[in-house]
Amino acid sequence: MTTAPDFVPHPLARQERMVEAILFAATRPLTVAELAARMPEGCDPAEALAGLRRTYAGRGVVLERIGEGHAFRTAPDLSFLMQAETVETRRLSRAATETLAIIAYHQPVTRTEIEEVRGVAVSRGTLDQLIEMGWVRMGRRRMSPGRPATFVVTEAFLDHFGLESARDLPGLSELRAAGLLESRPPAEGLGLPLAGGPGDDDMEPDDPAPVPQELFDDE
């Protein structure tokens, strides 16, 4: 005599619908573990995600991986349609933009290392602004004298610029072509020579400038 299983697994199609509903309602990318915690026992959110990615391939909305999370986003080739509805309210000084770029390319990086690259002191307000925006967070402390804190970019940063990971940032050649780096090759080590300008110092107030999209657009 056979016994019935403790539970009947949900069909994959229903699991895909569950994941679809959760992600559409979510305000941020969700990991596989977070999806599993919301779904009934026995479900396989990873497999459901793979199925949804195939279903939405080539459509106006696509399923993207952002860091360790997953979210629905407008298809990249249709992003121009959203420009009229998008208002950029986050404005950064040149000092903050350069600091953000250094952290993105060299993470995890300490404050001292940021100052070595920029050649000027980094004010506390600059890092506080990036942290408050949710684009930068504290990383692990270095196992070195003084155990200095490090800084890394967040998934919110990756999501804002449409990146799966920091590895998708444009190369130095693209940055130089955009005029955001000096034309000379960078020095060894942390060298990321940023194009400077008069009065470009964290200790002096800068006129707010929008975050340059070309800094992170890999085209």
Side-chain angles (χ1 to χ4, degrees), residues 92-133:
L92 298 177
S93 67
R94 183 183 182 87
T97 300
E98 292 184 352
T99 299
L100 177 63
I102 293 169
I103 294 172
Y105 278 90
H106 297 298
Q107 64 176 337
V109 62
T110 66
R111 178 173 175 173
T112 299
E113 290 167 341
I114 295 172
E115 292 175 343
E116 289 177 356
V117 176
R118 292 200 65 231
V120 295
V122 178
S123 71
R124 180 174 180 179
T126 296
L127 289 170
D128 286 345
Q129 179 186 12
L130 295 175
I131 292 173
E132 289 172 2
M133 290 175 66

Short mmCIF file of all heavy atoms in Angstrom, two decimals, residues 92-133:
data_model
loop_
_atom_site.label_atom_id
_atom_site.label_comp_id
_atom_site.label_asym_id
_atom_site.label_seq_id
_atom_site.Cartn_x
_atom_site.Cartn_y
_atom_site.Cartn_z
N LEU A 92 24.97 65.67 -8.14
CA LEU A 92 26.22 65.52 -7.42
C LEU A 92 27.22 66.58 -7.87
O LEU A 92 27.23 66.97 -9.03
CB LEU A 92 26.84 64.14 -7.67
CG LEU A 92 26.04 62.92 -7.22
CD1 LEU A 92 26.78 61.65 -7.61
CD2 LEU A 92 25.81 62.95 -5.73
N SER A 93 28.07 67.00 -6.94
CA SER A 93 29.17 67.87 -7.29
C SER A 93 30.20 67.05 -8.06
O SER A 93 30.15 65.82 -8.09
CB SER A 93 29.82 68.45 -6.03
OG SER A 93 30.44 67.41 -5.29
N ARG A 94 31.14 67.73 -8.70
CA ARG A 94 32.20 67.02 -9.42
C ARG A 94 32.99 66.15 -8.45
O ARG A 94 33.36 65.02 -8.77
CB ARG A 94 33.13 68.02 -10.11
CG ARG A 94 34.23 67.34 -10.94
CD ARG A 94 35.17 68.36 -11.55
NE ARG A 94 36.16 67.70 -12.37
CZ ARG A 94 35.99 67.41 -13.66
NH1 ARG A 94 34.85 67.71 -14.24
NH2 ARG A 94 36.95 66.82 -14.34
N ALA A 95 33.24 66.68 -7.24
CA ALA A 95 34.00 65.91 -6.24
C ALA A 95 33.28 64.62 -5.89
O ALA A 95 33.88 63.56 -5.78
CB ALA A 95 34.22 66.76 -5.00
N ALA A 96 31.94 64.70 -5.70
CA ALA A 96 31.17 63.51 -5.35
C ALA A 96 31.13 62.53 -6.51
O ALA A 96 31.20 61.31 -6.32
CB ALA A 96 29.75 63.91 -4.95
N THR A 97 31.02 63.04 -7.74
CA THR A 97 30.99 62.17 -8.92
C THR A 97 32.31 61.41 -9.05
O THR A 97 32.32 60.21 -9.32
CB THR A 97 30.74 63.00 -10.19
OG1 THR A 97 29.49 63.68 -10.08
CG2 THR A 97 30.71 62.11 -11.42
N GLU A 98 33.43 62.11 -8.86
CA GLU A 98 34.73 61.46 -8.95
C GLU A 98 34.90 60.43 -7.84
O GLU A 98 35.41 59.33 -8.07
CB GLU A 98 35.85 62.51 -8.89
CG GLU A 98 35.91 63.41 -10.11
CD GLU A 98 37.07 64.37 -10.06
OE1 GLU A 98 37.75 64.44 -9.01
OE2 GLU A 98 37.30 65.07 -11.07
N THR A 99 34.47 60.78 -6.64
CA THR A 99 34.57 59.84 -5.52
C THR A 99 33.75 58.59 -5.80
O THR A 99 34.20 57.46 -5.55
CB THR A 99 34.09 60.51 -4.22
OG1 THR A 99 34.92 61.65 -3.94
CG2 THR A 99 34.16 59.54 -3.04
N LEU A 100 32.55 58.76 -6.32
CA LEU A 100 31.69 57.62 -6.66
C LEU A 100 32.36 56.74 -7.72
O LEU A 100 32.34 55.51 -7.61
CB LEU A 100 30.34 58.13 -7.17
CG LEU A 100 29.34 57.06 -7.63
CD1 LEU A 100 28.96 56.15 -6.47
CD2 LEU A 100 28.09 57.74 -8.21
N ALA A 101 32.97 57.35 -8.72
CA ALA A 101 33.62 56.59 -9.78
C ALA A 101 34.79 55.78 -9.23
O ALA A 101 34.99 54.61 -9.58
CB ALA A 101 34.10 57.52 -10.89
N ILE A 102 35.57 56.39 -8.34
CA ILE A 102 36.73 55.70 -7.75
C ILE A 102 36.27 54.49 -6.94
O ILE A 102 36.85 53.41 -7.03
CB ILE A 102 37.56 56.67 -6.88
CG1 ILE A 102 38.20 57.74 -7.76
CG2 ILE A 102 38.63 55.90 -6.10
CD1 ILE A 102 38.80 58.89 -6.98
N ILE A 103 35.21 54.67 -6.16
CA ILE A 103 34.70 53.56 -5.35
C ILE A 103 34.21 52.44 -6.26
O ILE A 103 34.48 51.25 -6.02
CB ILE A 103 33.57 54.04 -4.43
CG1 ILE A 103 34.12 55.03 -3.38
CG2 ILE A 103 32.89 52.86 -3.72
CD1 ILE A 103 33.05 55.71 -2.54
N ALA A 104 33.48 52.80 -7.33
CA ALA A 104 32.93 51.79 -8.23
C ALA A 104 34.03 50.98 -8.89
O ALA A 104 33.91 49.75 -9.04
CB ALA A 104 32.05 52.47 -9.30
N TYR A 105 35.11 51.63 -9.30
CA TYR A 105 36.18 50.94 -10.03
C TYR A 105 37.19 50.24 -9.13
O TYR A 105 37.87 49.32 -9.57
CB TYR A 105 36.91 51.92 -10.94
CG TYR A 105 36.19 52.15 -12.25
CD1 TYR A 105 35.25 53.17 -12.38
CD2 TYR A 105 36.42 51.34 -13.36
CE1 TYR A 105 34.57 53.38 -13.56
CE2 TYR A 105 35.76 51.55 -14.55
CZ TYR A 105 34.83 52.56 -14.65
OH TYR A 105 34.15 52.76 -15.83
N HIS A 106 37.32 50.68 -7.89
CA HIS A 106 38.38 50.13 -7.03
C HIS A 106 37.86 49.47 -5.76
O HIS A 106 38.64 49.13 -4.89
CB HIS A 106 39.36 51.25 -6.64
CG HIS A 106 40.10 51.84 -7.80
ND1 HIS A 106 40.94 51.12 -8.59
CD2 HIS A 106 40.07 53.11 -8.32
CE1 HIS A 106 41.45 51.91 -9.52
NE2 HIS A 106 40.93 53.10 -9.40
N GLN A 107 36.56 49.27 -5.64
CA GLN A 107 36.01 48.69 -4.41
C GLN A 107 36.60 47.31 -4.12
O GLN A 107 36.87 46.55 -5.07
CB GLN A 107 34.49 48.62 -4.53
CG GLN A 107 33.98 47.70 -5.63
CD GLN A 107 32.48 47.60 -5.61
OE1 GLN A 107 31.80 47.84 -4.62
NE2 GLN A 107 31.90 47.26 -6.75
N PRO A 108 36.76 46.99 -2.82
CA PRO A 108 36.59 47.88 -1.67
C PRO A 108 37.78 48.84 -1.56
O PRO A 108 38.92 48.43 -1.71
CB PRO A 108 36.52 46.91 -0.49
CG PRO A 108 37.36 45.75 -0.93
CD PRO A 108 37.15 45.63 -2.41
N VAL A 109 37.51 50.10 -1.27
CA VAL A 109 38.56 51.11 -1.24
C VAL A 109 38.40 51.95 0.02
O VAL A 109 37.29 52.23 0.46
CB VAL A 109 38.48 51.99 -2.51
CG1 VAL A 109 37.16 52.72 -2.59
CG2 VAL A 109 39.64 52.96 -2.59
N THR A 110 39.53 52.34 0.62
CA THR A 110 39.49 53.15 1.83
C THR A 110 39.47 54.64 1.48
O THR A 110 39.76 55.03 0.34
CB THR A 110 40.72 52.87 2.72
OG1 THR A 110 41.90 53.33 2.03
CG2 THR A 110 40.85 51.39 3.03
N ARG A 111 39.17 55.45 2.47
CA ARG A 111 39.15 56.90 2.25
C ARG A 111 40.53 57.40 1.84
O ARG A 111 40.66 58.25 0.96
CB ARG A 111 38.68 57.58 3.52
CG ARG A 111 38.65 59.10 3.44
CD ARG A 111 38.01 59.69 4.67
NE ARG A 111 38.06 61.14 4.68
CZ ARG A 111 37.46 61.90 5.56
NH1 ARG A 111 36.75 61.34 6.52
NH2 ARG A 111 37.56 63.21 5.51
N THR A 112 41.57 56.86 2.48
CA THR A 112 42.94 57.27 2.14
C THR A 112 43.26 56.95 0.69
O THR A 112 43.88 57.75 -0.02
CB THR A 112 43.95 56.57 3.06
OG1 THR A 112 43.70 56.94 4.42
CG2 THR A 112 45.38 56.95 2.69
N GLU A 113 42.82 55.78 0.22
CA GLU A 113 43.07 55.39 -1.16
C GLU A 113 42.31 56.29 -2.14
O GLU A 113 42.81 56.61 -3.22
CB GLU A 113 42.70 53.92 -1.36
CG GLU A 113 43.65 52.97 -0.65
CD GLU A 113 43.12 51.55 -0.58
OE1 GLU A 113 41.90 51.35 -0.75
OE2 GLU A 113 43.94 50.64 -0.34
N ILE A 114 41.09 56.70 -1.76
CA ILE A 114 40.33 57.64 -2.61
C ILE A 114 41.10 58.95 -2.74
O ILE A 114 41.21 59.53 -3.83
CB ILE A 114 38.93 57.89 -2.01
CG1 ILE A 114 38.10 56.60 -2.02
CG2 ILE A 114 38.20 58.98 -2.80
CD1 ILE A 114 36.78 56.71 -1.27
N GLU A 115 41.65 59.42 -1.61
CA GLU A 115 42.39 60.67 -1.62
C GLU A 115 43.66 60.55 -2.45
O GLU A 115 44.07 61.51 -3.12
CB GLU A 115 42.71 61.08 -0.18
CG GLU A 115 41.47 61.46 0.62
CD GLU A 115 41.76 61.73 2.08
OE1 GLU A 115 42.86 61.33 2.55
OE2 GLU A 115 40.91 62.35 2.75
N GLU A 116 44.30 59.38 -2.45
CA GLU A 116 45.51 59.17 -3.24
C GLU A 116 45.19 59.28 -4.73
O GLU A 116 45.98 59.82 -5.51
CB GLU A 116 46.11 57.80 -2.92
CG GLU A 116 46.75 57.70 -1.55
CD GLU A 116 47.26 56.31 -1.25
OE1 GLU A 116 47.04 55.41 -2.10
OE2 GLU A 116 47.87 56.10 -0.19
N VAL A 117 44.04 58.75 -5.14
CA VAL A 117 43.66 58.81 -6.55
C VAL A 117 43.30 60.23 -6.96
O VAL A 117 43.73 60.73 -8.00
CB VAL A 117 42.48 57.85 -6.84
CG1 VAL A 117 42.03 57.99 -8.28
CG2 VAL A 117 42.89 56.42 -6.56
N ARG A 118 42.48 60.92 -6.14
CA ARG A 118 42.01 62.26 -6.49
C ARG A 118 43.08 63.32 -6.30
O ARG A 118 43.07 64.35 -6.95
CB ARG A 118 40.78 62.62 -5.66
CG ARG A 118 39.54 61.81 -5.98
CD ARG A 118 38.28 62.53 -5.49
NE ARG A 118 38.08 63.77 -6.19
CZ ARG A 118 37.87 64.94 -5.61
NH1 ARG A 118 37.85 65.04 -4.29
NH2 ARG A 118 37.68 66.03 -6.32
N GLY A 119 43.99 63.07 -5.36
CA GLY A 119 45.03 64.05 -5.10
C GLY A 119 44.60 65.16 -4.17
O GLY A 119 45.34 66.12 -3.95
N VAL A 120 43.39 65.07 -3.61
CA VAL A 120 42.90 66.06 -2.65
C VAL A 120 42.17 65.33 -1.53
O VAL A 120 41.78 64.17 -1.69
CB VAL A 120 41.94 67.08 -3.31
CG1 VAL A 120 42.64 67.92 -4.34
CG2 VAL A 120 40.75 66.36 -3.94
N ALA A 121 41.98 66.03 -0.42
CA ALA A 121 41.28 65.42 0.70
C ALA A 121 39.80 65.23 0.36
O ALA A 121 39.21 66.01 -0.37
CB ALA A 121 41.42 66.31 1.94
N VAL A 122 39.23 64.15 0.89
CA VAL A 122 37.81 63.87 0.69
C VAL A 122 37.06 64.32 1.93
O VAL A 122 37.32 63.83 3.03
CB VAL A 122 37.58 62.36 0.45
CG1 VAL A 122 36.08 62.07 0.30
CG2 VAL A 122 38.32 61.89 -0.78
N SER A 123 36.14 65.23 1.75
CA SER A 123 35.39 65.71 2.90
C SER A 123 34.41 64.66 3.36
O SER A 123 33.93 63.83 2.57
CB SER A 123 34.64 67.00 2.54
OG SER A 123 33.57 66.72 1.66
N ARG A 124 34.09 64.68 4.64
CA ARG A 124 33.13 63.72 5.18
C ARG A 124 31.76 63.86 4.53
O ARG A 124 31.04 62.90 4.32
CB ARG A 124 33.03 63.90 6.70
CG ARG A 124 32.06 62.93 7.36
CD ARG A 124 32.09 63.06 8.86
NE ARG A 124 31.16 62.13 9.50
CZ ARG A 124 31.01 62.01 10.81
NH1 ARG A 124 31.74 62.76 11.63
NH2 ARG A 124 30.13 61.14 11.31
N GLY A 125 31.41 65.11 4.18
CA GLY A 125 30.12 65.36 3.58
C GLY A 125 29.94 64.66 2.24
O GLY A 125 28.83 64.25 1.89
N THR A 126 31.02 64.53 1.49
CA THR A 126 30.94 63.87 0.18
C THR A 126 30.54 62.41 0.34
O THR A 126 29.63 61.92 -0.32
CB THR A 126 32.28 63.97 -0.56
OG1 THR A 126 32.57 65.35 -0.83
CG2 THR A 126 32.23 63.21 -1.88
N LEU A 127 31.22 61.70 1.23
CA LEU A 127 30.90 60.30 1.46
C LEU A 127 29.52 60.14 2.10
O LEU A 127 28.77 59.23 1.76
CB LEU A 127 31.98 59.65 2.34
CG LEU A 127 33.34 59.45 1.65
CD1 LEU A 127 34.39 59.03 2.68
CD2 LEU A 127 33.23 58.41 0.55
N ASP A 128 29.18 61.05 3.02
CA ASP A 128 27.86 60.99 3.65
C ASP A 128 26.76 61.13 2.62
O ASP A 128 25.73 60.44 2.69
CB ASP A 128 27.73 62.10 4.70
CG ASP A 128 28.52 61.81 5.96
OD1 ASP A 128 28.94 60.65 6.13
OD2 ASP A 128 28.72 62.73 6.77
N GLN A 129 26.95 62.02 1.64
CA GLN A 129 25.94 62.23 0.61
C GLN A 129 25.73 60.96 -0.20
O GLN A 129 24.59 60.56 -0.47
CB GLN A 129 26.36 63.37 -0.33
CG GLN A 129 25.35 63.62 -1.45
CD GLN A 129 25.83 64.65 -2.45
OE1 GLN A 129 27.00 65.03 -2.44
NE2 GLN A 129 24.94 65.10 -3.32
N LEU A 130 26.83 60.30 -0.59
CA LEU A 130 26.72 59.08 -1.39
C LEU A 130 26.06 57.95 -0.59
O LEU A 130 25.30 57.15 -1.15
CB LEU A 130 28.11 58.66 -1.86
CG LEU A 130 28.80 59.63 -2.83
CD1 LEU A 130 30.22 59.17 -3.12
CD2 LEU A 130 28.01 59.78 -4.12
N ILE A 131 26.36 57.90 0.70
CA ILE A 131 25.76 56.87 1.55
C ILE A 131 24.27 57.14 1.74
O ILE A 131 23.44 56.23 1.68
CB ILE A 131 26.48 56.80 2.91
CG1 ILE A 131 27.91 56.26 2.71
CG2 ILE A 131 25.71 55.91 3.89
CD1 ILE A 131 28.77 56.30 3.96
N GLU A 132 23.91 58.42 1.96
CA GLU A 132 22.50 58.78 2.14
C GLU A 132 21.68 58.51 0.89
O GLU A 132 20.51 58.15 0.96
CB GLU A 132 22.39 60.25 2.53
CG GLU A 132 22.89 60.54 3.95
CD GLU A 132 22.95 62.03 4.25
OE1 GLU A 132 22.56 62.82 3.36
OE2 GLU A 132 23.38 62.40 5.35
N MET A 133 22.30 58.66 -0.28
CA MET A 133 21.61 58.36 -1.54
C MET A 133 21.40 56.87 -1.73
O MET A 133 20.61 56.45 -2.57
CB MET A 133 22.42 58.91 -2.72
CG MET A 133 22.45 60.42 -2.81
SD MET A 133 23.52 61.00 -4.15
CE MET A 133 22.64 60.38 -5.57
#
